[in-house]
């Protein structure tokens, strides 16, 4: 149903630019979904195709592994992976990876797993064991796996090292996310030797996610100059350290991949000679967080509409639902953002609520009971945790619908 590989004829190319004209774009989405009860979530297929192709260009020729956490729609994963240049999935739980492994043969679990039931299923399934790579950053994780299924009673399990890609500074301290305890080439080589020496495991890759570059907008806010300075320092440091880590591990064992990246750092990741593949996902559906980068401008491929249910004041319209927050600190940037009509804002003291979201501004004066307001998620995956289906809109009309993970009865995290 969802095909992103079709050749772009002149008509489709013209359609793909409609999001650059907000009045036309959002009005078309309103008209296309007017017959559907709110809340309604959409994916504009032309915008999705544009984002997918743009990400390939930005990656500079290295393959992109799709981060499923930021999509959570199998039809979208399948369609993107049919595009040359995309290869493999970065899953967020082992249970999810096992579910996807029926149809996909290259899945890396992006986070360590201590799900004993899922590990037992993996150990009992030779096909899944050949298709799924586990993430490791501590020998204790190997011990737990052996407790679930002894090496003599299971197929060899594929594992990858998760390395800390953050920046450590004297002035700013730890800049980045708190992930792996492994930071240096010596750390990597030590655990690599431990894995190689243990029966039942095969080390196949390295992952280094540079969140301080990939997930931090650099074009907006008073702190933007500081962010750009820190990102420049981080790029220089990471390019050197990642090469040292890859070289140290390669002295211990051959590797299939060295993974880096994220939607916001594809240009840098693609230029790093030690990296063999990038990971990205949020840029496909393009939450509003990615509007704040200097290096790229994604199309708003996904959005959701809520109905106005009351008017507590002339310049305030209250929407039913909307409080679907993205991961990260509980700040305004993680909230859904009112997008159309333009000029609407959430209330600082109430923000986006689980059952109601008041919006205010001059545009609210023209909203009546029953009118619709379009919002965009901060990232991308949170929408699929609230909606059972996405409506596929092509050229201003609904062309079909696809189930989300939740719509298929799955809720992994």
């Amino acid at each position: 149903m969802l095909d992103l590989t079709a050749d772009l004829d002149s008509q489709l190319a013209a359609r793909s630019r409609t999001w650059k004209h907000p009045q036309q774009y959002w009005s078309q989405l309103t008209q296309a979904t007017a017959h559907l009860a709110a809340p309604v979530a959409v994916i504009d297929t032309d915008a999705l195709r544009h984002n997918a192709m743009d990400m390939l260009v930005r990656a500079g020729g290295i393959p992109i592994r799709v981060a499923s956490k930021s999509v959570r729609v199998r039809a979208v994963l399948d369609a993107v992976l049919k595009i040359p240049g995309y290869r493999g999935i970065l899953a967020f739980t082992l249970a999810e990876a096992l579910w996807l492994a029926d149809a996909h043969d290259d899945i890396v679990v992006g986070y360590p797993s201590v799900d004993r039931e899922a590990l037992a299923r993996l150990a009992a399934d030779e096909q899944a064991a050949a298709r799924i790579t586990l993430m490791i950053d501590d020998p204790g994780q190997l011990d737990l796996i052996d407790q679930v299924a002894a090496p003599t009673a299971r197929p060899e399990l594929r594992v990858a090292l998760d390395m800390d890609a953050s920046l450590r500074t004297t002035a700013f301290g730890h800049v980045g996310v708190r992930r792996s305890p492994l930071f240096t080439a010596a750390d990597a080589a030590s655990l690599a030797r431990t894995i190689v020496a243990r029966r039942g495991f095969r080390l196949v890759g390295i992952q280094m996610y540079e969140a301080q570059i990939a997930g931090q907008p650099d074009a907006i806010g008073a702190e933007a100059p500081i962010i750009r300075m820190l990102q420049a320092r981080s790029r220089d440091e990471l390019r050197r350290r990642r090469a040292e880590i890859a070289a140290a591990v390669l002295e211990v064992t051959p590797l299939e991949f060295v993974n880096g990246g994220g939607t916001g750092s594809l240009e840098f990741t693609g230029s790093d000679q030690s990296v063999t593949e990038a990971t990205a996902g949020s840029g496909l559906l393009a939450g509003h967080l990615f509007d704040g980068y200097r290096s790229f401008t994604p199309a708003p491929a996904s959005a959701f509409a809520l109905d106005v249910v009351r008017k507590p004041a002339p310049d305030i319209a209250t929407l039913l639902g909307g409080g679907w927050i993205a991961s990260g600190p509980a700040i305004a940037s993680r909230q859904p953002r009112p997008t159309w009509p333009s000029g609407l804002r959430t209330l600082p003291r109430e923000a986006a609520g689980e059952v109601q979201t008041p919006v205010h501004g001059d545009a609210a004066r023209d909203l009546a009971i029953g009118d619709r307001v379009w919002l965009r998620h901060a990232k991308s995956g949170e929408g699929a945790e609230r909606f059972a289906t996405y409506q596929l809109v092509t050229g201003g009309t609904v062309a079909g619908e696809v189930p989300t993970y939740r719509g298929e009865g799955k809720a992994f995290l």
Side-chain angles (χ1 to χ4, degrees):
M1 178 182 294
L2 179 56
D3 183 8
L4 302 176
T5 62
D7 290 336
L8 292 174
D9 58 24
S10 57
Q11 180 181 5
L12 189 56
R15 288 206 312 256
S16 72
R17 295 189 292 270
T18 56
W19 62 82
K20 296 182 180 180
H21 308 282
Q23 176 69 51
Q24 177 186 359
Y25 186 67
W26 299 106
S27 296
Q28 281 185 349
L29 291 181
T30 299
Q31 295 168 9
T33 59
H35 63 292
L36 299 170
V40 58
V42 303
I43 294 175
D44 186 284
T45 60
D46 297 334
L48 172 59
R49 180 186 289 106
H50 168 86
N51 290 338
M53 300 305 180
D54 185 61
M55 285 165 60
L56 287 175
V57 173
R58 294 177 54 223
I62 67 171
I64 298 177
R65 184 178 296 274
V66 182
S68 63
K69 178 181 74 70
S70 302
V71 179
R72 306 189 193 218
V73 181
R74 283 207 292 177
V76 173
L77 294 175
D78 293 345
V80 171
L81 286 169
K82 290 179 181 177
I83 300 173
Y86 286 89
R87 185 181 70 196
I89 295 171
L90 186 77
F92 53 96
T93 72
L94 178 54
E96 178 209 15
L98 288 164
W99 182 55
L100 294 173
D102 286 340
H104 297 277
D105 62 5
D106 181 7
I107 306 171
V108 175
V109 182
Y111 305 85
S113 178
V114 295
D115 182 341
R116 289 169 171 81
E117 188 274 335
L119 288 167
R121 288 170 54 200
L122 178 67
D125 187 334
E126 289 192 7
Q127 176 176 279
R131 293 182 167 190
I132 295 173
T133 300
L134 300 173
M135 198 58 60
I136 300 293
D137 60 28
D138 190 301
Q141 295 151 355
L142 304 175
D143 296 339
L144 187 144
I145 293 170
D146 282 346
Q147 292 169 12
V148 171
T152 55
R154 59 170 166 81
E156 185 177 63
L157 298 182
R158 297 165 52 86
V159 300
L161 295 181
D162 194 8
M163 300 295 303
D164 183 0
S166 63
L167 175 67
R168 297 181 180 180
T169 71
T170 301
F172 295 92
H174 182 277
V175 180
V177 294
R178 295 285 185 176
R179 289 174 70 101
S180 170
L182 307 175
F183 188 81
T184 67
D187 294 337
S190 177
L191 186 51
R193 286 190 291 268
T194 297
I195 294 170
V196 169
R198 292 183 67 145
R199 184 174 181 180
F201 297 100
R202 180 157 63 96
L203 180 59
V204 299
I206 297 172
Q207 173 183 260
M208 295 185 73
Y209 169 53
E210 55 263 26
Q212 69 278 9
I213 305 172
Q216 184 63 56
D218 64 351
I220 56 175
E223 296 181 347
I226 296 175
I227 290 170
R228 292 196 290 269
M229 179 269 291
L230 288 171
Q231 288 178 338
R233 289 181 57 184
S234 183
R235 285 191 290 268
D236 291 342
E237 187 274 340
L238 186 56
R239 194 186 304 274
R240 172 190 55 77
R241 181 161 57 89
R242 187 151 47 193
E244 293 173 353
I245 288 168
V249 176
L250 285 167
E251 288 184 1
V252 177
T253 188
L255 295 174
E256 295 178 11
F257 65 85
V258 176
N259 179 282
T263 290
S265 64
L266 285 175
E267 292 88 352
F268 164 65
T269 308
S271 70
D272 189 331
Q273 296 299 309
S274 64
V275 174
T276 66
E277 64 175 37
T279 288
S282 291
L284 294 168
L285 299 180
H288 67 72
L289 270 178
F290 296 97
D291 294 344
Y293 287 76
R294 295 184 302 163
S295 59
F296 67 104
T297 303
S302 67
F304 64 98
L306 303 176
D307 285 343
V308 175
V309 294
R310 55 185 170 195
K311 293 289 298 287
D315 63 343
I316 297 176
T318 300
L319 314 176
L320 186 65
W324 307 322
I325 310 300
S327 62
I331 56 179
S333 65
R334 264 54 181 182
Q335 298 176 30
R337 177 175 295 170
T339 301
W340 192 262
S342 62
L344 295 173
R345 302 178 302 279
T346 56
L347 299 176
R349 294 185 179 180
E350 195 163 348
E354 184 177 14
V355 290
Q356 74 163 38
T357 298
V359 294
H360 72 115
D362 288 340
R365 296 181 183 276
D366 297 326
L367 291 172
I369 302 297
D371 285 348
R372 289 201 165 167
V373 172
W374 287 95
L375 301 93
R376 292 169 62 202
H377 293 292
K379 294 186 178 178
S380 296
E382 62 266 33
E385 289 302 321
R386 287 289 184 166
F387 289 94
T389 62
Y390 274 104
Q391 304 299 313
L392 299 179
V393 177
T394 302
T397 62
V398 173
E401 66 176 3
V402 291
T404 63
Y405 279 14
R406 186 168 290 275
E408 294 196 66
K410 301 295 183 181
F412 298 106
L413 278 180

